[in-house]
């Protein structure tokens, strides 16, 4: 089954070019030109990923990204003509997964789309839907997302709470990408009564004590000031 992308863009020319390109790449496409259409589409169709223009006529793209994130985990790539660094941070803060500035290289966009879909989608075999076995190796550690285990370099299983596990899983699935506290909260929020950004800092600190050689000078989960956290170890 084809994966469906929703293109939210009020510039018909850009929308048409993007749609033609993505159709050729084998995706199914839905189109919206306003925030209202976009939300209607998200509620009525099975959308796998949203390409969101920030400059829409009726509503700011950042507000829309936040509204989508409040109701689902659909990956969002923000596309914008704005060059500012603060816009990029703002987009990641409200839960967008990635950000590209226009004009962008279509091939790079495809790569980013496939990267996001790869870590969020499931493959279908017949009538059953199976998740890929997901085992990650870093710094001689092993994290098995299916078995819910974290194994240290001495081959012992290290106990993780569900929230700690989900947070580390979110980081490890997006190596070398800055993830905002808002995004990380999404990953663990089902485990918390009243999730706050502070919770993420506390969880990160607890995880660092378990997996970092020197938790005061972390090398696996690094802090990106004013932005969030990043999984910085090599996966092998
Ligand atoms: Ca626009």
């Amino acid at each position: 089954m084809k994966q469906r992308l929703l293109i939210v863009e009020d510039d018909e020319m850009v929308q048409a070019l993007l749609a033609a390109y993505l159709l050729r790449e084998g995706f199914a496409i839905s189109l919206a030109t306003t925030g209202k259409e976009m939300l209607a589409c998200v509620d009525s169709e099975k959308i796998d990923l949203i390409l969101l223009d920030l400059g829409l006529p009726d509503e700011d793209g950042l507000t829309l990204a936040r509204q989508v994130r409040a109701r689902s985990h659909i990956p969002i790539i923000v596309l914008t003509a704005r060059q500012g660094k603060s816009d990029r941070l703002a987009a990641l803060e409200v839960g967008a997964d990635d950000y590209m500035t226009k004009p962008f290289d279509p091939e790079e966009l495809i790569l980013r789309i496939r990267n996001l879909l790869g870590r969020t989608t499931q493959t279908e075999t017949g009538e059953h839907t199976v998740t890929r076995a997901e085992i990650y190796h870093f710094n001689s550690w092993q994290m098995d997302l299916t078995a819910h285990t974290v194994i240290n370099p001495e081959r012992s299983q290290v106990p993780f709470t569900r929230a700690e596990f989900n947070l580390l899983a979110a980081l490890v699935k997006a190596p070398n990408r800055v993830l905002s506290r808002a995004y990380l909260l999404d990953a663990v929020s089902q485990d918390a009564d009243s999730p706050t950004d502070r919770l993420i800092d506390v969880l990160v600190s607890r995880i660092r004590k378990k997996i970092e050689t020197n938790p005061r000078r972390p090398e696996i989960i690094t802090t990106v000031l004013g932005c969030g956290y990043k999984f910085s170890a090599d996966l092998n």
Side-chain angles (χ1 to χ4, degrees), residues 9-10 53 55:
E9 170 66 75
D10 59 317
D53 174 36

Side-chain angles (χ1 to χ4, degrees), residues 6 8 35 38-43 47 49-50 52 61-76 94-97 186:
L6 170 59
V8 189
M38 164 183 157
L39 292 174
C41 204
V42 167
D43 285 339
I47 302 294
L49 184 144
I50 299 172
L52 175 61
L62 289 179
T63 310
L64 289 171
R66 190 182 294 115
Q67 286 172 350
V68 170
R69 191 49 77 242
R71 60 178 95 182
S72 86
H73 290 269
I74 302 174
I76 301 172
V94 297
D97 297 88
D186 238 30

Side-chain angles (χ1 to χ4, degrees), residues 9-38:
E9 170 66 75
D10 59 317
D11 183 328
E12 285 180 16
M13 190 68 163
V14 175
Q15 191 188 60
L17 284 171
L18 209 48
Y21 187 77
L22 294 169
L23 280 169
R24 228 174 26 238
E25 290 291 321
F27 294 105
I29 298 295
S30 295
L31 300 173
T33 53
T34 64
K36 210 173 152 194
E37 283 177 18
M38 164 183 157

